[in-house]
Amino acid sequence: MSSSKVNRRVGLVRTGNRDLMKEINLSIVLNLIRVQGPLSRTDIARLSGLSVGAVSGLTGELLASGFIREVGAGQSRNGRHPVLLALNPQAGFVVGIKLTEQSIVAAVTDLEAAVVHWRLEPENDLQNPEKAIAAIIRTVEAALKESAVPPSRVMGLGIALAGVIDSQDAVCYYSPILGWRQVQLAQPIEDRLHLPVYVENDVNTLTMAEQWFGAGRDFPHFLMVTIGRGIGMGVVANGQFYRGSIGGAGEFGHITLQPDGPRCGCGKSGCVEALAADPAIVRMARAAVESGKQTIMTQEARRTGQLTFDHVAQAANQGDKVAQEILAEAGRWLGLGLSHLVNLFNPQLIVLSGEGTRMGDARIESARQTMQEHIFDRLDGSIDLVVKPMGEEAWARGAACMVLGELFKHPINRDHRPGLPLGVA
Ligand SMILES: [Zn+2]
């Protein structure tokens, strides 16, 4: 494209849509302050390429709306001490909700994604969408009341759940754990709470949390892989979150590794999930106990009447060879799967998270080793595998981060759900 063409296009945008340009500039300034602040107005002009006059006007608006604040004086070479501007994290708050089969977790966070309050509500009727919606509304109201955040500062609600979600229309197409098909979640909740509501797959929201507020700030190419009852994945490539054509990208857990292997929850056989997730480990442990192998898990199963992933992980920690081998076997399958991801995506970083990373290090160590063995030669050495253990509130925080991400996103990239207050009326 010739340079005259480029200039003409920019000129058209400027004259044709002034409000959008202003909104874009506000967003650029706010994001510079958020990511690199505290900054002086001169710093912002230099980093953004905007004029000092334009920066003064834009920062004036952001100060008036409370999004940024003055935080004292900086240093400069000519002896002056320019006023520094920083994000005001308490200028707004968002709520994140994580739905599981039997609970709702809510987290209230500030603009820097710090959790100011969270609660876990056990619920038995979530399979019924109407009852689930009523329970979400109750939980959000209770969490906000307990957090003592003024209602006027609450900027949005994010809902995260496992399944295939159309985030644009806020519809859950299919959620196997809740048994939902075609559930419209946002509208009835928006009507009641008068907040913009965003809905997204739970692993995607964790990925966004990492992209906006975690390791992803420094890595434009990374994968988030979660292990637990299932195995999930989120993809960030070129700094952009990747959804696929209908929002179904990242079904890493259902890549077939062993076609004649164990049955998977998805109906196929030998998926990564069926070979390496927590239930696969429990299944292997039961088989070992039933076949009479020498293991302390046998006593544990007799004493408690059951065998869980935690039992296997604890037995392995105590030096039980059978438990260690089961974790290592699951880890080898996981690592084989991860090596495929590295070969496909060539990420700088894989973040491994989810409840399955709390314990059972033998699975992760063996996954790391197998992954290295199967990576294509030239990609080896450039990949970092970081383990980030997490609790229930981290899922809800991830849902909140989705709303924050939307707030800080470049205006033309925003999902067009109503009501986020930053921008030009
Ligand atoms: Zn499967």
Side-chain angles (χ1 to χ4, degrees):
M1 192 185 279
S2 74
S3 65
S4 65
K5 258 187 181 165
V6 173
N7 288 340
R8 192 153 52 79
R9 284 192 56 203
V10 172
L12 271 178
V13 170
R14 275 196 184 135
T15 52
N17 205 337
R18 245 179 222 148
D19 285 351
L20 179 62
M21 278 310 291
K22 188 173 166 197
E23 207 181 328
I24 289 169
N25 289 339
L26 274 172
S27 162
I28 289 169
V29 170
L30 182 63
N31 271 306
L32 275 173
I33 296 172
R34 180 178 76 84
V35 177
Q36 300 189 41
L39 293 172
S40 71
R41 288 173 176 83
T42 323
D43 292 334
I44 297 166
R46 183 174 42 83
L47 292 166
S48 65
L50 293 163
S51 71
V52 174
V55 168
S56 278
L58 295 163
T59 53
E61 279 195 37
L62 290 169
L63 280 166
S65 61
F67 276 101
I68 60 170
R69 56 186 175 169
E70 296 183 336
V71 289
Q75 293 287 336
S76 89
R77 281 184 201 148
N78 61 12
R80 284 210 203 143
H81 299 283
V83 174
L84 296 182
L85 301 169
L87 183 72
N88 174 14
Q90 309 280 309
F93 296 85
V94 296
V95 188
I97 288 281
K98 155 79 173 175
L99 294 179
T100 74
E101 293 126 297
Q102 290 183 325
S103 69
I104 298 179
V105 187
V108 182
T109 82
D110 68 15
L111 292 183
E112 284 177 338
V115 176
V116 295
H117 180 72
W118 73 280
R119 63 180 282 138
L120 186 151
E121 197 71 48
E123 293 286 344
N124 294 320
D125 289 326
L126 294 178
Q127 280 67 25
N128 175 326
E130 266 177 42
K131 289 184 177 172
I133 286 167
I136 291 168
I137 292 167
R138 273 201 310 275
T139 308
V140 171
E141 285 172 339
L144 282 174
K145 200 170 169 197
E146 289 161 1
S147 74
V149 164
S152 62
R153 291 210 192 157
V154 183
M155 307 176 86
L157 168 67
I159 300 172
L161 67 159
V164 180
I165 314 290
D166 175 348
S167 58
Q168 194 71 43
D169 293 332
V171 172
C172 170
Y173 274 131
Y174 176 50
S175 178
I177 64 156
L178 293 169
W180 289 4
R181 280 179 194 277
Q182 296 284 352
V183 175
Q184 165 56 251
L185 264 183
Q187 199 62 55
I189 299 174
E190 278 175 355
D191 290 348
R192 178 68 184 276
L193 294 176
H194 308 293
L195 287 173
V197 176
Y198 298 81
V199 185
E200 182 58 275
N201 169 278
D202 53 359
V203 179
N204 290 358
T205 62
L206 263 198
T207 311
M208 289 174 193
E210 206 61 26
Q211 183 189 6
W212 286 91
F213 301 99
R217 279 163 75 142
D218 303 317
F219 294 98
H221 308 277
F222 77 93
L223 306 175
M224 162 70 82
V225 173
T226 58
I227 53 174
R229 276 162 296 178
I231 290 184
M233 176 175 77
V235 181
V236 172
N238 290 320
Q240 298 286 318
F241 184 79
Y242 181 76
R243 290 173 198 284
S245 63
I246 59 156
E251 288 300 341
F252 168 53
H254 300 287
I255 287 176
T256 308
L257 293 181
Q258 196 186 36
D260 56 351
R263 280 290 268 193
C264 181
C266 73
K268 294 190 298 172
S269 294
C271 298
V272 179
E273 191 167 299
L275 293 159
D278 296 1
I281 286 168
V282 171
R283 186 193 66 235
M284 287 189 269
R286 284 210 187 104
V289 166
E290 279 160 21
S291 70
K293 282 198 175 150
Q294 277 292 320
T295 163
I296 53 174
M297 292 186 293
T298 309
Q299 287 90 305
E300 200 56 41
R302 271 199 208 118
R303 193 176 64 79
T304 61
Q306 57 174 346
L307 206 48
T308 64
F309 171 71
D310 286 10
H311 290 142
V312 185
Q314 280 154 8
N317 279 349
Q318 289 163 31
D320 187 279
K321 290 280 182 288
V322 175
Q324 284 170 353
E325 175 46 32
I326 288 168
L327 288 168
E329 167 79 359
R332 285 192 287 275
W333 288 116
L334 178 63
L336 187 61
L338 291 175
S339 74
H340 296 338
L341 297 183
V342 174
N343 290 352
L344 280 171
F345 291 100
N346 182 208
Q348 297 156 298
L349 172 75
I350 296 179
V351 181
L352 208 53
S353 197
E355 60 271 21
T357 55
R358 283 180 301 115
M359 307 171 79
D361 293 349
R363 171 169 52 176
I364 290 161
E365 279 324 302
S366 119
R368 195 188 290 276
Q369 201 184 329
T370 307
M371 181 185 86
Q372 289 296 348
E373 285 165 13
H374 291 272
I375 291 175
F376 182 61
D377 248 3
R378 296 184 187 191
L379 302 177
D380 195 3
S382 60
I383 173 81
D384 210 355
L385 182 71
V386 172
V387 182
K388 235 182 168 177
M390 55 175 275
E392 296 286 356
E393 84 285 5
W395 286 107
R397 176 179 174 268
C401 287
M402 158 176 58
V403 185
L404 294 175
E406 203 57 40
L407 178 69
F408 292 124
K409 216 184 251 179
H410 201 289
I412 5 191
N413 293 333
R414 270 184 206 146
D415 284 338
H416 292 284
R417 299 209 55 76
L420 279 186
L422 177 70
V424 184

